[in-house]
Structure formats: structure tokens, C-alpha cells
Amino acid sequence: MIYPERIEEKIGFSGVRTEISARCHCEGSRTRCEEMAFLADFNAIRTALTAVNEMLSANHSDETVPLEGVSDIDRNLAVIKIPGTFLEIKDLVRVRRMLDCFGAVATFLHRHKTDGRTPYPVLTDIAEELSYIPPSLGMLIDHAIDTTSGLVKDNASPTLAEIRSRLRGMSGRVNSILRRVLSSAISQGWLEPDTTPAVRDGRLVIPVPPMNKRKIQGIVHDESASGKTLFIEPAEVVEANNLTRELQLEEHREIIRILTSIADQLRPHIQEMQTGASIIYHLDFINAKAHYADAVGGTMPNLHDSAEMEWYHACHPVLKLSLERHNREIVPIDIRLDKNERILVISGPNAGGKSVCLKTVGTLQYMLQCGILPPVYDNSHFGVFKDMFVDIGDDQSFEDDLSTYSSHLRSMKFMLQRGRKGSLFLIDEMGSGTEPQIGGALARAILEQMNAKEMWGIVTTHYQILKQFAEDTPGLINGSMLYDRHLMQPMFKLSIGNPGSSFAVEIARKIGLPLEIISAAEDIVGKEYVNLDNYLLDITRDKRYWENKRTAIRQKEKKLEQMLAQYSEDAEQLRSKRRDIIEEARAEARKILDSSNAAIERTIADIKQANAERERTLEARRKLKEERLALEKDARNHRDNNAILSKAPKKKKGNSEPKPSGQTIAKSEIVIGTNVKLDGAGTVGTVLEISGKNAIVAFGNLKTNVKLDRLTATNAQPKSNAKSTVSMQTIDSGYERQLNFKQEIDLRGMRADEAIQAVTYFIDDAIRFSIARVRILHGTGTGALRQAVRALLSTTPGIESFHDEDVRFGGAGITVVNLK
């Protein structure tokens, strides 16, 4: 069910229908575009979307679906249903082209079907009945009609061939007589030399000046508009023209007989041809949707047979085409709703894109359930809604006695009566049009009922009561349209998770409203209300800051991954080169060893041959030494020449196990007076007091409360410090810190370790100065900073309790700490 009847105009879908209709090639497919309606059946929607996606794939392939020659033939086929009727030649040519289209589409789909599988299963099912139309119907028309010239062929029948043969002979006779008459008249000066015959009422005539009309015998058929020329049929050709006219009538009768015969043979197949035409109209309509998807970036999303909404890079198609015509780019939105957060309450400044966001959601969901590919990324997830209710714009009516607010209430009443689980509602400026307090209260009550029915929806508002309701109620979630406070202009980006500010004061300043008026307005609403708006601005700023941080981190991670991949590739190349070098070195070593062995063998042989004579033995040893020195020199030269080998990584030597420091002892039971170290620190302290799992340890002049499991007993002694004295300067500094102490600390932008240190000093000062309540502003972001701060607070003595700030003053982005 859809509501209201003008829903397509309200969400902007009427422009989509117009664009698709313009891409259709005939009235039959345009009729299907007009009949396109919102579907709630999952299988029907999936089939329609798959058909468009298959057509889109075919359009992007080397061979598209052959839909040339698409034209309307329903009326033509209806004409020849009555026996004795026939089609004009131009209508018969149109039917022939459609028959060609039937055969071409059937052949295309059959050719792409292999082993029972095809890339176009849905299109194949749609066009299945095209193969039942006999190809002989086209040949029947081709035998009689020349589709190129649009004339009946001479050989369509023997009678027609004979008649046309006689006509050609009679035409030659008439032309011969007419040339003779013209030549005689021109020679006698009755006609101009360049006079040529003309045709009047299907008969050949001669244009003659009025002054010479009596000199040429014949019949006057016509007169020129100026009266200066008469068209006379010479008496010599009257009889020949009469015979020609009779032959022309015979030809016409024979053509009608031939056309009637063709109609008689087509008549038994009219139903098949009408079915085929309907299929072609349907395929042409699907093709129009595919071309539109190409124009707006439509893709096939993930489809679910239940309510689902997880969209990425969603664009309103009509707005996208309009901006592209002006060389501008659209700002896409990402939106995600699920069964736990089904209703989105969008707030933000006027002209910030709230209504466009609402219409984008409505148009894309309506497109999907009409079988049109929506312009989103293909990793998006779409569900199927049973109903779609829309309240956008003003429906006030003088005839129905409806004001703006009355029309809104009537829409709300209809939605509450007909809404159910799986219904989708879109409401713009909910609760507006009446006194804000009661309007906001009614809007909240209506949203509560819709939430109880498990309806899905998106509403836009400026009311704080709806923002707070969305923050505190399961099933609802806040969202905002981002606004650049520095440039004072909307960003048209949707942010889900936090409410948005209306930026009323900032916009008033931007347009130049007097400052005294702005100040007076702030005094009227109160500082708390203005501060609440400022907190919303800070939250928005923080979210944008952390989003930018995450983007930068992702970019750095991607760069690191690329560098790591490059280093891995370089390392593999080095390992390969190292293996090659080692192999080369081994081969060289074998060569050297072989050479050395040969030298040794020669030396031994010389010694044996000399019977171990002392002089010969010394000489052999001297030669062996020279050989060894030469080999060592070659080895050194070889090493020096292999620069890569010298750079090859060498195996590290030594034991990698850490050496014991000798200053710590095994962890044992820690008692008062034990010297200890804090994990991760080198300073030695002394345990002064133990309370449960915590201990008070003195590190020099500093006493701190730490967990026992973070302490390690040690034999080392604390460093001795000279007795210190507190100077007046230190005392004065303490008084000055107390005077300048602020009960709020801002941690946004800090790292976790910086924030922990800052909070430690901040809480110490607060306890020292006897402050009862402080606020820690850490923002929401990923929640890591908030978690670290609260982990510290849970272990810090002197803290009575801590909790989230009220949603009006920052909510989960601020922690309130109550001190003892």
C-alpha cells in the first residue's frame, strides 16, 4: 500500500518515470512505463530487477539484445482480424520489421544458451514464446513486398507482372507521341524550347501559353495559379492515356487482391504475433530501465525478503542528472537502519539537506520496488516494505477545509491506522504547523505508537523533545545533517548517531541580524538552551574530527601495506640473489679445492720421484707455498669483486635471550616496608600501606595508590633524597592554582596516555581543593577515550560516583564525577 496518491510527485519519482519513458522506442513500451507500479511481492521485485541487470550486462557486452525495428503493430493486427480486410503497404512493412525483431531476439537468446545455462535466464524466460512464431510469415511478406522501397514486387503474381509489362509498353508509346507533338509545337514557335511534359490527374499534359491554346488540339486539364499557363492533353495521346489509366486501375485491383491474400494468410497467426509484440514491448521497457540505470549509476544491490536498509553512496537520481547538466556533483549519503534502530530522527539547519535526504530514501526504495536499479554501491542491502507512507510538503486545501497542520494530522492518522510491522513512513518536519510545545508532544506520542508497531521510518525535525526521545528510546536513533561552522554553509552529509543543531544563532549572525536582537533571543530562551546547542555543535565537530582521523589512519595503513608488500618483494629478491651468490661461491670453492688438490698431487709426485731428496723436497714445498699464496690472492680478488655477496645478510650470532638484571627478585607476598617497582617504570618505592588489592607506595616525596598486581618486589633501595622544605613560592603557586582551577577539563584530541595523565592531575587538584563535582569532556568518537578515563576513575580513591551528563548538555560525550 502506498499513501498518498500523489506520492510520486512528493518524493520526486515522477521525474524517474518521465526519463524512462523518454528512453522507450514505441507506444507499447511507454504504456508499460505508465503502468509501472509499487510492488510488495519479493519474487516479483527480484525478477524485475534481475531482468534489468541482465539487460544492463548485455548492453555492456560485445553484442546487445537486438531490438532494432521495434514499433507498434497492435492496431495493424486488429485491422486484419476481420475477413476481407488488408493492411496498407507501410503498415505491412512495419509488421515485417517486428517479425524480424521476433526472430533476432529469439536467436540471440538461444545462441547464448549452452548446456542449459545462460547469462540471461530471466530475459530468456520472458522471450520464450517468440520461438513459437513461424519464420514463414516473414517470407510470405518478403515474396510480395520490397521493404526497402515500400512497393509491391512485379513478381508478386503473374497477373501483376503482365499488367506492369503492358503499362511500361503503353508508357513508351505515350512518351513517343508526346515528344513528336512537342517537337512540332516548338519548331512552329508555339512553345518554349525547354518545355517538358507534366502530369495532371494522372495524365501526361503539355504546358501551353494561353495565346497558343487554339493551335494545339486536345483537352485542357488545368490552369496555373497565375493564369499564364494552360495544361493541355494533346488529342494524339488521349486514347493512349485512357488505356494507361485502365491498366493502372487493373494494377491497383491486383495489388489489393495480393494484400488481401497476405492478410488472409497472416490472420490465423494474429494471436501469436500479438503475444510476440507484447514481449518485445516488455523487453524494450526493460532496456529503457537499463539505459536509465547507466545514466544515474544504478546497480544491483543485495536484496532481502524483509525490512532492511543499509545503503552506501545513495543519490537522488533526478537531482543527480540535474546537477550533472550544470557540471556539478551530488553529495551522496550513507544510511543504515536495522531491527534495533528502525526509526531515524534527522535534525539540522534549514536548507541543510534534510528534505532531500528524505526524498532520496523514498525515491530509491520506490524505484527498487518498481523494478528499477537504484543508484547506490553494489554492496548496499535493500529490504522489501509492505507499505510506504509519505508526508512531505503542504497538502492544505480550501475545498476540503484543511490547514497545513490539519493535513499533517490526517496523514498521521492514516499511517497509525494502516501502519504495521514492515511499513515504511517518511515524515518531513514532524509536528510543525502549530504551537511548538503541543506539536512536539503530539509528534512524540505518534512516534511512540509507530515504534510500538515496529514500523520503520525517517522523520525530520527541529524539536528538542524529539531529539531527546530518540536518544532515550530503543528502536529510535538520532541523525544530523552536517554544517560547516567556519564557512557557514551546509555540507549535505548525513551523520547517524547524534542529533544536529539548527544553527539558528549562527545563521542569524551570518545574515547580519543586529547583535542586540540575537542577545535578547538568547536571554529569552536561557543560557542552558543555548549551551545545549553549543554542545551539539561540539559533538558534531568531534565526530567530524574523528572521522577525518580515521580516514587519515586508513590512508596511512594502506600506504604501510603497500610499503610492506614492496619490502617483502625486495626481501625475496635479495634472498634469491643471496642463493645465487652462495651457489656461485660454492662453485668457485670447488674449483679452488680441485686446483689445490691438483697442486698437492703434483708436489707429492715430485717428492716421490726425487726419492725424498732434501733439496727437491724443499723445492716442492716452496712451489706448494707459492701455489697456496696464489690461490689465497685469487680468493681475495673474488671476494672483492662480489659486492652483492659482501652486502648479503649474515646470520646474527649470540644468544637472544634477555639477561637477568639481578636487581629484581621473584614476585612474592608484598608487605608494608617492601621495596617495589611499578611495572613499566624503573623508580624504586616503599610500600606504606596495604588496603585489599591496592597499596599506597611512596616514590620519593610522591605517594600514590596503585594495584598490587602492578608492583614487583626488588632488592634495590630507593634513592635517598635530602630533606626538602616548602618555599613560600611553592605555597603561593598552590594558592594561584586553586584560584584558577576550572571544574571542567577538555580531553578531545589527546591520546589515551596524555588524557590519563591530565585526568590524574585534574582529579588530584579537585580533591585537594575540596571540589564536590567536576566534568570531563572526552567526546563520543569510538568510545576508547571514554573507556580509558572511566577505568582510571574506578581505581582512584576519593571518588564517590561518576555518570553520563544529561543528554541536553552533552550526554555520553561528557562524564560527571562526584567527589567525596
Side-chain angles (χ1 to χ4, degrees), residues 360-406:
T360 299
V361 172
T363 298
L364 266 58
Q365 188 65 44
Y366 201 91
M367 286 175 66
L368 180 102
Q369 296 197 223
C370 285
I372 306 171
L373 298 178
V376 294
Y377 282 166
D378 57 8
N379 62 338
S380 300
H381 293 259
F382 275 73
V384 174
F385 292 96
K386 301 173 183 176
D387 315 290
M388 182 181 288
F389 306 127
V390 170
D391 183 24
I392 300 175
D394 189 357
D395 281 339
Q396 62 176 326
S397 169
F398 291 112
E399 293 81 2
D400 297 333
D401 194 23
L402 285 176
S403 65
T404 300
Y405 188 60
S406 299

Side-chain angles (χ1 to χ4, degrees), residues 1-3 7 38 40 385-389 414 418 420:
M1 174 186 294
I2 58 173
Y3 175 86
I7 185 173
F38 183 85
F385 292 96
K386 301 173 183 176
D387 315 290
M388 182 181 288
F389 306 127
F414 185 91
R418 306 296 179 88
R420 51 182 168 167

Side-chain angles (χ1 to χ4, degrees), residues 8 23 196 207 278 359 406 488 498 532-533 559 571 622 779 781 783 798-799:
E8 295 186 6
R23 289 169 169 80
T196 58
S278 179
K359 292 181 178 181
S406 299
M488 292 303 293
N498 293 305
L532 172 60
D533 217 32
K559 186 176 180 180
R622 184 183 62 79
I799 294 178

Side-chain angles (χ1 to χ4, degrees), residues 20 91 119 138 405 488 500 579 624 641 701 737 772 811:
I20 294 175
D91 296 331
Y405 188 60
M488 292 303 293
R579 286 193 294 268
L624 182 61
N641 292 333
N701 293 326
R737 287 183 63 187

Side-chain angles (χ1 to χ4, degrees), residues 156-177:
S157 73
T159 304
L160 183 62
E162 181 185 356
I163 291 172
R164 286 186 172 173
S165 176
R166 292 167 59 192
L167 272 172
R168 285 191 290 271
M170 189 59 65
S171 176
R173 178 183 170 188
V174 170
N175 288 333
S176 175
I177 296 171

Side-chain angles (χ1 to χ4, degrees), residues 528-643:
E528 289 188 355
Y529 192 89
V530 175
N531 288 337
L532 172 60
D533 217 32
N534 291 333
Y535 289 141
L536 291 176
L537 300 181
D538 292 338
I539 291 170
T540 304
R541 180 199 64 194
D542 291 343
K543 187 174 181 64
R544 189 164 62 251
Y545 170 80
W546 288 113
E547 285 177 350
N548 293 336
K549 278 282 189 183
R550 282 196 296 271
T551 301
I553 290 171
R554 281 196 293 269
Q555 291 174 348
K556 289 180 180 178
E557 287 179 346
K558 185 177 180 181
K559 186 176 180 180
L560 286 173
E561 289 174 358
Q562 293 174 347
M563 293 175 65
L564 181 61
Q566 183 63 41
Y567 290 154
S568 299
E569 184 180 351
D570 293 344
E572 182 60 34
Q573 291 178 357
L574 286 174
R575 282 192 291 268
S576 177
K577 289 181 180 179
R578 184 174 181 269
R579 286 193 294 268
D580 295 342
I581 292 170
I582 290 173
E583 289 298 325
E584 184 180 348
R586 285 175 177 171
E588 188 68 24
R590 283 193 296 270
K591 180 179 178 182
I592 293 171
L593 183 60
D594 293 342
S595 178
S596 300
N597 290 335
I600 292 170
E601 291 293 335
R602 287 197 302 272
T603 303
I604 293 172
D606 290 343
I607 292 173
K608 288 181 177 180
Q609 185 178 1
N611 293 321
E613 292 180 3
R614 188 171 184 274
E615 292 80 4
R616 296 291 298 272
T617 301
L618 291 175
E619 180 66 20
R621 287 181 176 178
R622 184 183 62 79
K623 290 182 179 180
L624 182 61
K625 184 177 181 180
E626 290 177 354
E627 187 75 22
R628 179 174 59 80
L629 291 175
L631 289 173
E632 288 177 353
K633 183 177 180 182
D634 290 342
R636 282 196 301 272
N637 292 336
H638 181 74
R639 266 199 313 273
D640 294 340
N641 292 333
N642 282 276

